[in-house]
Amino acid sequence: MKNNEYKVHNLWPISVYEDFLPVKQEWKDKILNLEYERTTINNSDISKDRFILNDIKDLKKEIEIYNERYVRHYLKVKENINFYMLNSWSNKHGPKEYSQVHYHGNSLVSGVYYPILPKDSGDIMFHKTDIYTNLFHHTIRFEFTEPNVVNSETYVVKLKEGSIVLFPSHLNHSVMKNLTNQSR
């Protein structure tokens, strides 16, 4: 190998799957007509029904297809392992509302689908935890000339109406502040 040639091996990356699922008006209508209640931390409204996709069967089937793509085609999980959707709900964020940093400890794969997403109403952000030391120990902070997927503490997936994002449930994530006068 010449002196100016080198290799970089990215070991054990955390994968986030992003795709597009065209929105049907009937899905929007059903989601808008759900009964909602305020979350306990008062940052959004959540559907009272925590199994909403049981009543939107065609959307549930579509999401399961996308999940199969992620776990079988990309992650290469063997066919003898079955994945089941445990629950499903809808969050509604009004102006200036957001979702705090959190993860889903009771699942393997989590996902979000955006059937109603006004422009500038908030993107999903993933957060590197202190125990994930892919670069330097968390007690050492350097300044970098430019952020990238190796040195960043956060990563934003830019969304549009119809975006579907699937990711390992242990991955910390949040949703940025809704900067519009409409609900997301």
Side-chain angles (χ1 to χ4, degrees):
M1 211 181 257
K2 296 178 188 175
N3 285 343
N4 61 349
E5 292 181 29
Y6 64 91
K7 285 185 179 181
V8 173
H9 300 267
N10 287 312
L11 304 176
W12 309 289
I14 299 174
S15 61
V16 173
Y17 173 94
E18 177 188 6
D19 209 332
F20 179 77
L21 173 55
V23 179
K24 292 183 180 178
Q25 185 60 45
E26 65 189 78
W27 298 344
K28 282 185 176 185
D29 294 341
K30 285 184 179 182
I31 290 167
L32 286 170
N33 290 315
L34 293 170
E35 279 190 70
Y36 288 87
E37 60 190 358
R38 201 71 184 151
T39 58
T40 55
I41 57 174
N42 199 31
N43 66 343
S44 66
D45 295 325
I46 187 168
S47 61
K48 288 184 176 183
D49 181 358
R50 300 303 201 273
F51 306 94
I52 66 170
L53 291 179
N54 289 343
D55 292 328
I56 314 174
K57 292 183 186 334
D58 57 334
L59 176 55
K60 182 177 182 176
K61 184 177 178 183
E62 290 291 331
I63 291 171
E64 288 171 337
I65 290 168
Y66 285 74
N67 188 63
E68 282 292 304
R69 278 188 203 146
Y70 177 47
V71 299
R72 308 281 184 222
H73 297 209
Y74 182 74
L75 298 177
K76 303 295 185 188
V77 175
K78 288 187 174 185
E79 294 289 332
N80 65 331
I81 307 295
N82 295 312
F83 289 82
Y84 302 98
M85 193 176 300
L86 299 177
N87 46 38
S88 54
W89 64 90
S90 176
N91 283 45
K92 189 174 5 173
H93 292 91
K96 297 187 176 40
E97 293 182 341
Y98 62 94
S99 178
Q100 76 286 357
V101 177
H102 66 284
Y103 65 93
H104 303 272
N106 64 337
S107 303
L108 297 173
V109 175
S110 291
V112 288
Y113 176 59
Y114 295 88
I116 302 167
L117 189 72
K119 188 178 187 303
D120 297 325
S121 63
D123 293 314
I124 190 166
M125 179 184 291
F126 294 94
H127 303 262
K128 186 174 103 174
T129 65
D130 287 344
I131 61 170
Y132 185 66
T133 54
N134 66 313
L135 193 56
F136 303 114
H137 194 270
H138 74 273
T139 58
I140 301 170
R141 300 283 195 236
F142 288 104
E143 291 183 26
F144 298 99
T145 57
E146 66 181 77
N148 61 36
V149 295
V150 177
N151 65 28
S152 294
E153 300 288 320
T154 60
Y155 184 83
V156 174
V157 174
K158 297 288 186 186
L159 303 168
K160 60 185 175 190
E161 194 165 284
S163 290
I164 182 169
V165 181
L166 303 170
F167 50 92
S169 297
H170 70 274
L171 187 57
N172 280 348
H173 59 285
S174 64
V175 182
M176 298 165 72
K177 188 181 284 187
N178 180 353
L179 301 177
T180 73
N181 292 324
Q182 300 172 294
S183 288
R184 170 185 63 231

